[in-house]
Amino acid sequence: MQNITVLGSTGSIGKSTLDVVARHPDRYRIIALTANRQDELLFEQCRQFRPHFAVLLDEAAAERLRKRIAATGLDVEVSCGNDALVKVATLPEVDAVMAAIVGAAGMRPTLAAAEAGKKVLLANKETLVLAGHLFMDAVRRSGAVLLPIDSEHNAIFQSLPHDYAGNMMSSGVSKILLTASGGPFRNTPAPELQNVTPEQACAHPNWSMGRKISVDSASMMNKGLEVIEAHWLFNAAADDIQVVVHPQSVIHSMVQYVDGSVIAQLGNPDMRTPIAYALAWPERIVSGVAPLDLFAIAKLDFVAPDLDRFPCLTLAYQALRAGGTVPALLNAANEVAVDAFLNRRIAFLDIPRLIASVMEAVPRAEVRRLQDVLDADAAARIAAQAWVGQNTK
Ligand code: NAD
Ligand code: MG
């Protein structure tokens, strides 16, 4: 029996995780569930999974949940705030932590789970973008087991040698081929991108996801963040990670070897596959995902990314190469830009403009401790908000 904390249980990844867990009550027990402010859904999840702890970031939402829990006689301790998130990510009785909070907000509890030596099921890619070095150091020091949930990285993990220890050359790996769907605007002509709406950006052709990552997919910043994520997870240089646009999203990524072999992982685009893989690793369990119907798919296409229409990808490679706090600046600027776009304050094409301007305006620093990252994140958010203020539609 594995005891599990789900950080961000009311989100897209959180719900998919609970869907897989519910299929295996003999293997997994939920110890803690957390959310930002969706107390109603969290209450329903508490009723179904009977965790010991429920955490909401928002105090008023926590108070509402506390009242409902008391009225139903459930034995769930409700708390609120960031310290409570860290606490449920590090409880001694917890074996595995699903890190599925969106954005930099997920960094503290995710890092804490790694420091506490938990099995970390990592969906929150922003933690690696912000503080990849510190996070990977924490994993090594504590002996935490790190399993990537992001479908591409889960596919790469499955396609690498099982004893891969972070040295591509000695493992005979020549390249990581990171696939991208191209998002909802893959074929949208450049002039039309200026006026696309949040609704269009969030209507992903293959994947159903939270709003932030949906916009990231539309701008291809998601792929940029994933290049940085792959760099830290697999110790791969920027030049060794190649983005391949593959519109069907059937191949989730590939590893190319020096002998000419390419190993890929395929499956329907449903996050329950990587979630089930990580939960049960090194075993395999049923996930609820339908078998892949190759005859229905019939063909697989591959094209190079269009860097002119999707400059976010170039910005992410630049940030990775610059190193230090620059990826943290990129991430913070992107979070502010996506939020402003979703709130119709800036246009879609302003997203890369804003990010480039912040990366230029805020000086790069080395990352020696967490505070360096937090300072960079804060400075970038101030610069980004100022940019939004000057460029609001
Ligand atoms: P989502 O928006 O659907 O859910 C986010 C969850 O985090 C919710 O439970 C929300 O309540 C919680 N949350 C939001 N802000 C918070 C805050 N400030 N403090 C505490 N909790 C907060 O997002 P998602 O699509 O499930 O994505 C979660 C993470 O997984 C992201 O980092 C994303 O990049 C990554 N990811 C998602 C997918 C996917 O298919 N959805 C695929 C790969 C990676
Ligand atoms: Mg992905």
Side-chain angles (χ1 to χ4, degrees), residues 314-328:
T314 305
L315 290 171
Y317 269 102
Q318 274 170 14
L320 173 57
R321 291 196 169 100
T325 51
V326 182

mmCIF file with all atom_site columns, all heavy atoms in Angstrom, residues 314-328:
data_model
loop_
_atom_site.group_PDB
_atom_site.id
_atom_site.type_symbol
_atom_site.label_atom_id
_atom_site.label_alt_id
_atom_site.label_comp_id
_atom_site.label_asym_id
_atom_site.label_entity_id
_atom_site.label_seq_id
_atom_site.pdbx_PDB_ins_code
_atom_site.Cartn_x
_atom_site.Cartn_y
_atom_site.Cartn_z
_atom_site.occupancy
_atom_site.B_iso_or_equiv
_atom_site.pdbx_formal_charge
_atom_site.auth_seq_id
_atom_site.auth_comp_id
_atom_site.auth_asym_id
_atom_site.auth_atom_id
_atom_site.pdbx_PDB_model_num
ATOM 1   N N   . THR A 1 314 ? 12.157 29.926 -29.178 1.00 0.00 ? 314 THR A N   1
ATOM 2   C CA  . THR A 1 314 ? 13.514 30.481 -29.256 1.00 0.00 ? 314 THR A CA  1
ATOM 3   C C   . THR A 1 314 ? 13.905 31.150 -27.938 1.00 0.00 ? 314 THR A C   1
ATOM 4   O O   . THR A 1 314 ? 15.041 31.005 -27.474 1.00 0.00 ? 314 THR A O   1
ATOM 5   C CB  . THR A 1 314 ? 13.589 31.511 -30.407 1.00 0.00 ? 314 THR A CB  1
ATOM 6   O OG1 . THR A 1 314 ? 13.155 30.858 -31.593 1.00 0.00 ? 314 THR A OG1 1
ATOM 7   C CG2 . THR A 1 314 ? 14.990 32.036 -30.598 1.00 0.00 ? 314 THR A CG2 1
ATOM 8   N N   . LEU A 1 315 ? 12.956 31.880 -27.338 1.00 0.00 ? 315 LEU A N   1
ATOM 9   C CA  . LEU A 1 315 ? 13.249 32.549 -26.062 1.00 0.00 ? 315 LEU A CA  1
ATOM 10  C C   . LEU A 1 315 ? 13.634 31.525 -24.990 1.00 0.00 ? 315 LEU A C   1
ATOM 11  O O   . LEU A 1 315 ? 14.532 31.760 -24.185 1.00 0.00 ? 315 LEU A O   1
ATOM 12  C CB  . LEU A 1 315 ? 12.030 33.357 -25.602 1.00 0.00 ? 315 LEU A CB  1
ATOM 13  C CG  . LEU A 1 315 ? 11.702 34.601 -26.427 1.00 0.00 ? 315 LEU A CG  1
ATOM 14  C CD1 . LEU A 1 315 ? 10.353 35.189 -25.999 1.00 0.00 ? 315 LEU A CD1 1
ATOM 15  C CD2 . LEU A 1 315 ? 12.804 35.653 -26.257 1.00 0.00 ? 315 LEU A CD2 1
ATOM 16  N N   . ALA A 1 316 ? 12.954 30.382 -24.991 1.00 0.00 ? 316 ALA A N   1
ATOM 17  C CA  . ALA A 1 316 ? 13.247 29.362 -23.975 1.00 0.00 ? 316 ALA A CA  1
ATOM 18  C C   . ALA A 1 316 ? 14.640 28.763 -24.196 1.00 0.00 ? 316 ALA A C   1
ATOM 19  O O   . ALA A 1 316 ? 15.393 28.545 -23.230 1.00 0.00 ? 316 ALA A O   1
ATOM 20  C CB  . ALA A 1 316 ? 12.183 28.275 -24.003 1.00 0.00 ? 316 ALA A CB  1
ATOM 21  N N   . TYR A 1 317 ? 14.999 28.496 -25.455 1.00 0.00 ? 317 TYR A N   1
ATOM 22  C CA  . TYR A 1 317 ? 16.365 28.003 -25.724 1.00 0.00 ? 317 TYR A CA  1
ATOM 23  C C   . TYR A 1 317 ? 17.396 29.040 -25.281 1.00 0.00 ? 317 TYR A C   1
ATOM 24  O O   . TYR A 1 317 ? 18.429 28.706 -24.713 1.00 0.00 ? 317 TYR A O   1
ATOM 25  C CB  . TYR A 1 317 ? 16.544 27.686 -27.215 1.00 0.00 ? 317 TYR A CB  1
ATOM 26  C CG  . TYR A 1 317 ? 16.209 26.252 -27.601 1.00 0.00 ? 317 TYR A CG  1
ATOM 27  C CD1 . TYR A 1 317 ? 15.019 25.937 -28.215 1.00 0.00 ? 317 TYR A CD1 1
ATOM 28  C CD2 . TYR A 1 317 ? 17.117 25.216 -27.358 1.00 0.00 ? 317 TYR A CD2 1
ATOM 29  C CE1 . TYR A 1 317 ? 14.707 24.626 -28.582 1.00 0.00 ? 317 TYR A CE1 1
ATOM 30  C CE2 . TYR A 1 317 ? 16.824 23.900 -27.719 1.00 0.00 ? 317 TYR A CE2 1
ATOM 31  C CZ  . TYR A 1 317 ? 15.628 23.604 -28.338 1.00 0.00 ? 317 TYR A CZ  1
ATOM 32  O OH  . TYR A 1 317 ? 15.332 22.321 -28.689 1.00 0.00 ? 317 TYR A OH  1
ATOM 33  N N   . GLN A 1 318 ? 17.094 30.316 -25.552 1.00 0.00 ? 318 GLN A N   1
ATOM 34  C CA  . GLN A 1 318 ? 18.022 31.390 -25.124 1.00 0.00 ? 318 GLN A CA  1
ATOM 35  C C   . GLN A 1 318 ? 18.182 31.395 -23.616 1.00 0.00 ? 318 GLN A C   1
ATOM 36  O O   . GLN A 1 318 ? 19.301 31.525 -23.096 1.00 0.00 ? 318 GLN A O   1
ATOM 37  C CB  . GLN A 1 318 ? 17.467 32.763 -25.538 1.00 0.00 ? 318 GLN A CB  1
ATOM 38  C CG  . GLN A 1 318 ? 17.829 33.181 -26.943 1.00 0.00 ? 318 GLN A CG  1
ATOM 39  C CD  . GLN A 1 318 ? 17.043 34.428 -27.356 1.00 0.00 ? 318 GLN A CD  1
ATOM 40  O OE1 . GLN A 1 318 ? 16.447 35.110 -26.531 1.00 0.00 ? 318 GLN A OE1 1
ATOM 41  N NE2 . GLN A 1 318 ? 17.033 34.716 -28.645 1.00 0.00 ? 318 GLN A NE2 1
ATOM 42  N N   . ALA A 1 319 ? 17.069 31.248 -22.902 1.00 0.00 ? 319 ALA A N   1
ATOM 43  C CA  . ALA A 1 319 ? 17.110 31.265 -21.432 1.00 0.00 ? 319 ALA A CA  1
ATOM 44  C C   . ALA A 1 319 ? 17.920 30.082 -20.913 1.00 0.00 ? 319 ALA A C   1
ATOM 45  O O   . ALA A 1 319 ? 18.724 30.231 -19.993 1.00 0.00 ? 319 ALA A O   1
ATOM 46  C CB  . ALA A 1 319 ? 15.685 31.225 -20.870 1.00 0.00 ? 319 ALA A CB  1
ATOM 47  N N   . LEU A 1 320 ? 17.718 28.918 -21.516 1.00 0.00 ? 320 LEU A N   1
ATOM 48  C CA  . LEU A 1 320 ? 18.459 27.729 -21.078 1.00 0.00 ? 320 LEU A CA  1
ATOM 49  C C   . LEU A 1 320 ? 19.953 27.935 -21.292 1.00 0.00 ? 320 LEU A C   1
ATOM 50  O O   . LEU A 1 320 ? 20.772 27.636 -20.420 1.00 0.00 ? 320 LEU A O   1
ATOM 51  C CB  . LEU A 1 320 ? 17.961 26.496 -21.842 1.00 0.00 ? 320 LEU A CB  1
ATOM 52  C CG  . LEU A 1 320 ? 18.736 25.194 -21.620 1.00 0.00 ? 320 LEU A CG  1
ATOM 53  C CD1 . LEU A 1 320 ? 18.775 24.813 -20.147 1.00 0.00 ? 320 LEU A CD1 1
ATOM 54  C CD2 . LEU A 1 320 ? 18.115 24.048 -22.425 1.00 0.00 ? 320 LEU A CD2 1
ATOM 55  N N   . ARG A 1 321 ? 20.314 28.496 -22.442 1.00 0.00 ? 321 ARG A N   1
ATOM 56  C CA  . ARG A 1 321 ? 21.742 28.698 -22.738 1.00 0.00 ? 321 ARG A CA  1
ATOM 57  C C   . ARG A 1 321 ? 22.341 29.763 -21.831 1.00 0.00 ? 321 ARG A C   1
ATOM 58  O O   . ARG A 1 321 ? 23.496 29.663 -21.427 1.00 0.00 ? 321 ARG A O   1
ATOM 59  C CB  . ARG A 1 321 ? 21.937 29.072 -24.205 1.00 0.00 ? 321 ARG A CB  1
ATOM 60  C CG  . ARG A 1 321 ? 21.620 27.898 -25.128 1.00 0.00 ? 321 ARG A CG  1
ATOM 61  C CD  . ARG A 1 321 ? 22.156 28.098 -26.549 1.00 0.00 ? 321 ARG A CD  1
ATOM 62  N NE  . ARG A 1 321 ? 22.062 26.854 -27.287 1.00 0.00 ? 321 ARG A NE  1
ATOM 63  C CZ  . ARG A 1 321 ? 21.088 26.565 -28.161 1.00 0.00 ? 321 ARG A CZ  1
ATOM 64  N NH1 . ARG A 1 321 ? 20.147 27.462 -28.421 1.00 0.00 ? 321 ARG A NH1 1
ATOM 65  N NH2 . ARG A 1 321 ? 21.065 25.398 -28.762 1.00 0.00 ? 321 ARG A NH2 1
ATOM 66  N N   . ALA A 1 322 ? 21.555 30.795 -21.513 1.00 0.00 ? 322 ALA A N   1
ATOM 67  C CA  . ALA A 1 322 ? 22.062 31.864 -20.631 1.00 0.00 ? 322 ALA A CA  1
ATOM 68  C C   . ALA A 1 322 ? 22.243 31.347 -19.207 1.00 0.00 ? 322 ALA A C   1
ATOM 69  O O   . ALA A 1 322 ? 23.151 31.770 -18.486 1.00 0.00 ? 322 ALA A O   1
ATOM 70  C CB  . ALA A 1 322 ? 21.094 33.052 -20.647 1.00 0.00 ? 322 ALA A CB  1
ATOM 71  N N   . GLY A 1 323 ? 21.383 30.452 -18.765 1.00 0.00 ? 323 GLY A N   1
ATOM 72  C CA  . GLY A 1 323 ? 21.495 29.844 -17.436 1.00 0.00 ? 323 GLY A CA  1
ATOM 73  C C   . GLY A 1 323 ? 21.264 30.829 -16.305 1.00 0.00 ? 323 GLY A C   1
ATOM 74  O O   . GLY A 1 323 ? 20.678 31.902 -16.510 1.00 0.00 ? 323 GLY A O   1
ATOM 75  N N   . GLY A 1 324 ? 21.749 30.476 -15.099 1.00 0.00 ? 324 GLY A N   1
ATOM 76  C CA  . GLY A 1 324 ? 21.533 31.332 -13.926 1.00 0.00 ? 324 GLY A CA  1
ATOM 77  C C   . GLY A 1 324 ? 20.050 31.546 -13.695 1.00 0.00 ? 324 GLY A C   1
ATOM 78  O O   . GLY A 1 324 ? 19.257 30.608 -13.767 1.00 0.00 ? 324 GLY A O   1
ATOM 79  N N   . THR A 1 325 ? 19.703 32.826 -13.429 1.00 0.00 ? 325 THR A N   1
ATOM 80  C CA  . THR A 1 325 ? 18.299 33.122 -13.140 1.00 0.00 ? 325 THR A CA  1
ATOM 81  C C   . THR A 1 325 ? 17.463 33.376 -14.398 1.00 0.00 ? 325 THR A C   1
ATOM 82  O O   . THR A 1 325 ? 16.271 33.656 -14.284 1.00 0.00 ? 325 THR A O   1
ATOM 83  C CB  . THR A 1 325 ? 18.198 34.380 -12.248 1.00 0.00 ? 325 THR A CB  1
ATOM 84  O OG1 . THR A 1 325 ? 18.976 35.419 -12.866 1.00 0.00 ? 325 THR A OG1 1
ATOM 85  C CG2 . THR A 1 325 ? 18.701 34.121 -10.844 1.00 0.00 ? 325 THR A CG2 1
ATOM 86  N N   . VAL A 1 326 ? 18.073 33.297 -15.592 1.00 0.00 ? 326 VAL A N   1
ATOM 87  C CA  . VAL A 1 326 ? 17.322 33.686 -16.797 1.00 0.00 ? 326 VAL A CA  1
ATOM 88  C C   . VAL A 1 326 ? 16.082 32.789 -17.043 1.00 0.00 ? 326 VAL A C   1
ATOM 89  O O   . VAL A 1 326 ? 15.007 33.304 -17.357 1.00 0.00 ? 326 VAL A O   1
ATOM 90  C CB  . VAL A 1 326 ? 18.241 33.779 -18.038 1.00 0.00 ? 326 VAL A CB  1
ATOM 91  C CG1 . VAL A 1 326 ? 17.455 34.242 -19.262 1.00 0.00 ? 326 VAL A CG1 1
ATOM 92  C CG2 . VAL A 1 326 ? 19.379 34.754 -17.764 1.00 0.00 ? 326 VAL A CG2 1
ATOM 93  N N   . PRO A 1 327 ? 16.186 31.449 -16.856 1.00 0.00 ? 327 PRO A N   1
ATOM 94  C CA  . PRO A 1 327 ? 14.954 30.658 -16.991 1.00 0.00 ? 327 PRO A CA  1
ATOM 95  C C   . PRO A 1 327 ? 13.865 31.063 -15.996 1.00 0.00 ? 327 PRO A C   1
ATOM 96  O O   . PRO A 1 327 ? 12.670 31.020 -16.325 1.00 0.00 ? 327 PRO A O   1
ATOM 97  C CB  . PRO A 1 327 ? 15.419 29.219 -16.745 1.00 0.00 ? 327 PRO A CB  1
ATOM 98  C CG  . PRO A 1 327 ? 16.867 29.227 -17.113 1.00 0.00 ? 327 PRO A CG  1
ATOM 99  C CD  . PRO A 1 327 ? 17.367 30.578 -16.693 1.00 0.00 ? 327 PRO A CD  1
ATOM 100 N N   . ALA A 1 328 ? 14.263 31.497 -14.797 1.00 0.00 ? 328 ALA A N   1
ATOM 101 C CA  . ALA A 1 328 ? 13.271 31.956 -13.813 1.00 0.00 ? 328 ALA A CA  1
ATOM 102 C C   . ALA A 1 328 ? 12.603 33.242 -14.298 1.00 0.00 ? 328 ALA A C   1
ATOM 103 O O   . ALA A 1 328 ? 11.396 33.444 -14.105 1.00 0.00 ? 328 ALA A O   1
ATOM 104 C CB  . ALA A 1 328 ? 13.919 32.166 -12.448 1.00 0.00 ? 328 ALA A CB  1
#
